[in-house]
Amino acid sequence: MRPLSLSALSSCASTSQRSVIVNAYVTKELPIAQAGLLANIGPNGAKSSGAYPGIVIASPSMSNPDYLYTWTRDSSLVFKALVDRLIAGDGSAVSISSLTDMFVTAETNIQQVTNPSGNVTMGGLGEPKFIINETAFTGAWGRPQRDGPALRATTLITYANWLLQQDNASYVTSALWPVIQLDLDYVGSSWNLSTYDLWEEVYALSFFTSAVQHRALREGSALATTLGHSDLAGNYAFQADHLLCFLQSFWNSTPGYVVANPGVHRSGIDANTVLASIHTFDVDAGCDATTYQPCSDKALANLKVYVDSFRRVYTINSGIPENEAIATGRYFEDGYQGGNVCRSAYGLGCVLITEQPWYLTTFAVAEQLYDALIVWAKQGCMNVTDVSLDFFRMFDVSVSTGTYATSSSTYGTLMRAIQAFADGFIAINANYTPSDGSLAEQYSRTNGTPVSAVDLTWSYASALTAFAALEGQAPVTWGAQALSVPSTCYSPVSVTFNVNATTVFGENIYLTGSIPALSSWDASTAVLMSSANYPIWSTTVSLPADTPIQYKYIRKDASSVIWESDPNNAFTTVASDSQTLEDLWR
């Protein structure tokens, strides 16, 4: 590793002591995290449990919880971290490239596996997880999850662009592009549909999913142009413009944060939004707020609200001052793992807090801050707005709105304080990492003991990307620079369709209708509905506001399609907000 630039972390220790703590942790943990990640990749990973070549297991844990599966999302994020290291020149280019080629083969196979979400041409790319021998997982699960194809496309596009620089266009066109195109076509046709979010709990719209979908379409359009697919490039860019419009709707100006899942009965304050910012970071985009870049006023305001929401949730955070780092989790109302604690916050009354801090979310906070520092250093100034003022006043109560150049004392004061704040989140994880350096999924909110799945691959990947950002390494750019929201935006409203329909084994209910968002009456691409509340089948779709729409439900199995009887159902979407339609199959 190159020498690290480290700063003071908290009042618990002196500047020099804290710098030593973080420096020692990163020096020790970096090779452990890399080894831990590689151990979970088949076929030769020490803990990959017989996984096929290129398959990433989420964790070797087989009970409480059983994570011995491969998730498209986790696998893609893991290999994106590896490809970034390949491009940065960290590690063996031959071994990382060879492993990535195995991943390409594995994902090529998985795309073709028929599963409960459908097949390769009809919804199957939204299936979230598979058996580690590349066969379908058929148990009950939160499906579809539409972030996976976008993240896989981004990883393979990043790899493809690097290979093109190495004059290896043949592999890109023959092996990578077919996989990428399938994913981009899926994203382009389904980005405005409901999805289970990255935590697999909420079936709604998701900021993280929308943000990574926008990135995939934007950089996919550029790659399609490079490879001579101009028609596809135009379509991906068109859909990306709509998505950029849609992303603006997640911002809640009062009290100033990004709502992770609009319409869901909880605060919406969620690590989902922080992860979206770091995984769509583009150093050339500066502090752009339309794409929620890490140093943008919206992303910084959101980060403060997110971090602060955990200050009184976990016992291990007790007594830590308001401007210092703490342990964070997924969202403060979380009910996954652990015991029960009642907290009242954000107008939600008594909320049972059963979740624990996560290594990857705490690393993510540090990474967003390091990304911001990289951009401020590059552009030689930082801008404080009304939106981000509360964030900056954590470090200087006298700061006011304005632009502060490197020549100003305020710039130096804020840069040093924010560096120390970021380092603090690394130190928090360091404090709760066991002596062997292994990273579980979570650690206890009361005493910091590792809990839940052991050796979580995503935890190791999050350590690697946070450490790279700490070193000042920015991933390759993806085209977020100088983007602007189109003057005429797709104005969406959220419409929930519920239909009471009894089915037999093997049948599913789908929705189709008169506009592209409802597949334009094409039964082969109709919207699969969820049977979670059977016999009520449900889906929530983002549709243009104040628009007359006709629709029907269809019943499909492996060999037949049965349409509802005439006439078509018809309604007009509301001008704003959301609406719910209740129907009975006829």
Side-chain angles (χ1 to χ4, degrees), residues 44-362:
N44 299 319
K47 298 182 180 180
S48 62
S49 301
Y52 275 26
I55 290 291
V56 179
I57 67 168
S59 159
S61 176
M62 297 180 66
S63 63
N64 194 31
D66 182 2
Y67 279 7
L68 193 58
Y69 297 94
T70 184
W71 272 262
T72 304
R73 169 182 47 256
D74 299 38
S75 301
S76 300
L77 290 171
V78 164
F79 267 94
K80 178 60 163 60
L82 287 175
V83 171
D84 285 345
R85 289 178 66 80
L86 170 68
I87 294 170
D90 293 340
S92 167
V94 173
S95 61
I96 294 178
S97 183
S98 175
L99 200 59
T100 306
D101 291 345
M102 291 184 192
F103 172 70
V104 172
T105 300
E107 296 305 304
T108 301
N109 295 337
I110 280 177
Q111 279 189 329
Q112 301 298 322
V113 174
T114 298
N115 56 68
S117 294
N119 59 35
V120 65
T121 61
M122 197 167 61
L125 296 183
E127 183 68 9
K129 75 175 189 177
F130 294 82
I131 309 296
I132 61 174
N133 64 359
E134 299 178 3
T135 58
F137 169 74
T138 58
W141 207 253
R143 54 171 67 94
Q145 295 177 29
R146 305 186 196 276
D147 56 349
L151 292 166
R152 180 167 54 202
T154 282
T155 297
L156 297 186
I157 290 168
T158 305
Y159 187 45
N161 287 331
W162 180 79
L163 288 172
L164 290 173
Q165 293 172 357
Q166 314 305 310
D167 296 322
N168 193 352
S170 61
Y171 184 74
V172 172
T173 56
S174 65
L176 294 182
W177 179 250
V179 181
I180 293 168
Q181 183 183 343
L182 283 172
D183 281 340
L184 292 177
D185 288 349
Y186 176 86
V187 171
S189 65
S190 66
W191 64 263
N192 61 339
L193 303 179
S194 293
T195 176
Y196 275 93
D197 70 347
L198 75 169
W199 308 133
E200 307 186 306
E201 298 168 344
V202 172
Y203 187 67
L205 299 171
S206 165
F207 178 74
F208 177 84
T209 300
S210 294
V212 299
Q213 286 174 330
H214 171 252
R215 172 179 177 164
L217 288 170
R218 192 70 68 182
E219 59 191 344
S221 175
L223 180 60
T225 297
T226 298
L227 299 180
H229 304 296
S230 57
D231 289 347
L232 290 173
N235 179 53
Y236 298 153
F238 177 76
Q239 297 298 335
D241 284 343
H242 281 323
L243 250 171
L244 187 60
C245 286
F246 183 52
L247 278 171
Q248 312 316 305
S249 68
F250 288 89
W251 175 248
N252 180 355
S253 59
T254 305
Y257 65 87
V258 180
V259 178
N261 305 106
V264 175
H265 183 62
R266 63 185 192 216
S267 66
I269 301 168
D270 196 308
N272 167 321
T273 59
V274 180
L275 291 163
S277 186
I278 64 174
H279 289 299
T280 58
F281 173 42
D282 185 333
V283 68
D284 287 348
C287 298
D288 173 55
T290 60
T291 54
Y292 299 87
Q293 291 299 303
C295 62
S296 67
D297 54 0
K298 290 180 179 179
L300 294 173
N302 176 75
L303 185 69
K304 182 182 188 306
V305 171
Y306 164 73
V307 171
D308 285 350
S309 71
F310 290 96
R311 292 196 177 276
R312 283 165 289 280
V313 170
Y314 303 145
T315 303
I316 59 175
N317 290 339
S318 298
I320 298 178
E322 296 291 315
N323 63 345
E324 293 182 8
I326 58 171
T328 69
R330 301 190 303 177
Y331 52 94
F332 76 89
E333 310 100 322
D334 199 351
Y336 179 59
Q337 297 284 332
N340 295 324
V341 179
C342 185
R343 294 281 189 263
S344 179
Y346 299 94
L348 295 176
C350 179
V351 177
L352 287 178
I353 308 299
T354 65
E355 189 236 3
Q356 318 285 3
W358 286 46
Y359 289 102
L360 73 89
T361 61
T362 306

Side-chain angles (χ1 to χ4, degrees), residues 293-492:
Q293 291 299 303
C295 62
S296 67
D297 54 0
K298 290 180 179 179
L300 294 173
N302 176 75
L303 185 69
K304 182 182 188 306
V305 171
Y306 164 73
V307 171
D308 285 350
S309 71
F310 290 96
R311 292 196 177 276
R312 283 165 289 280
V313 170
Y314 303 145
T315 303
I316 59 175
N317 290 339
S318 298
I320 298 178
E322 296 291 315
N323 63 345
E324 293 182 8
I326 58 171
T328 69
R330 301 190 303 177
Y331 52 94
F332 76 89
E333 310 100 322
D334 199 351
Y336 179 59
Q337 297 284 332
N340 295 324
V341 179
C342 185
R343 294 281 189 263
S344 179
Y346 299 94
L348 295 176
C350 179
V351 177
L352 287 178
I353 308 299
T354 65
E355 189 236 3
Q356 318 285 3
W358 286 46
Y359 289 102
L360 73 89
T361 61
T362 306
F363 278 133
V365 177
E367 186 171 343
Q368 182 183 332
L369 293 165
Y370 292 138
D371 289 345
L373 289 163
I374 290 169
V375 174
W376 288 325
K378 178 186 177 185
Q379 64 188 21
C381 65
M382 63 174 60
N383 190 37
V384 180
T385 72
D386 289 335
V387 173
S388 60
L389 185 59
D390 285 348
F391 169 83
F392 286 104
R393 282 187 172 170
M394 285 197 295
F395 315 108
D396 183 348
V397 294
S398 65
V399 74
S400 58
T401 58
T403 300
Y404 297 91
T406 53
S407 57
S408 71
S409 60
T410 300
Y411 175 90
T413 298
L414 290 173
M415 288 287 282
R416 288 188 294 274
I418 294 168
Q419 174 80 47
F421 188 52
D423 291 346
F425 292 92
I426 301 293
I428 290 288
N429 273 352
N431 193 41
Y432 300 118
T433 299
S435 59
D436 65 358
S438 61
L439 296 178
E441 182 179 62
Q442 306 169 41
Y443 46 95
S444 167
R445 66 172 181 268
T446 58
N447 60 24
T449 303
V451 296
S452 192
V454 300
D455 293 307
L456 191 79
T457 320
W458 192 357
S459 291
Y460 290 127
S462 70
L464 294 180
T465 57
F467 296 164
L470 170 59
E471 288 189 85
Q473 292 181 6
V476 293
T477 62
W478 55 268
Q481 183 180 17
L483 293 178
S484 58
V485 179
S487 56
T488 302
C489 266
Y490 173 87
S491 179

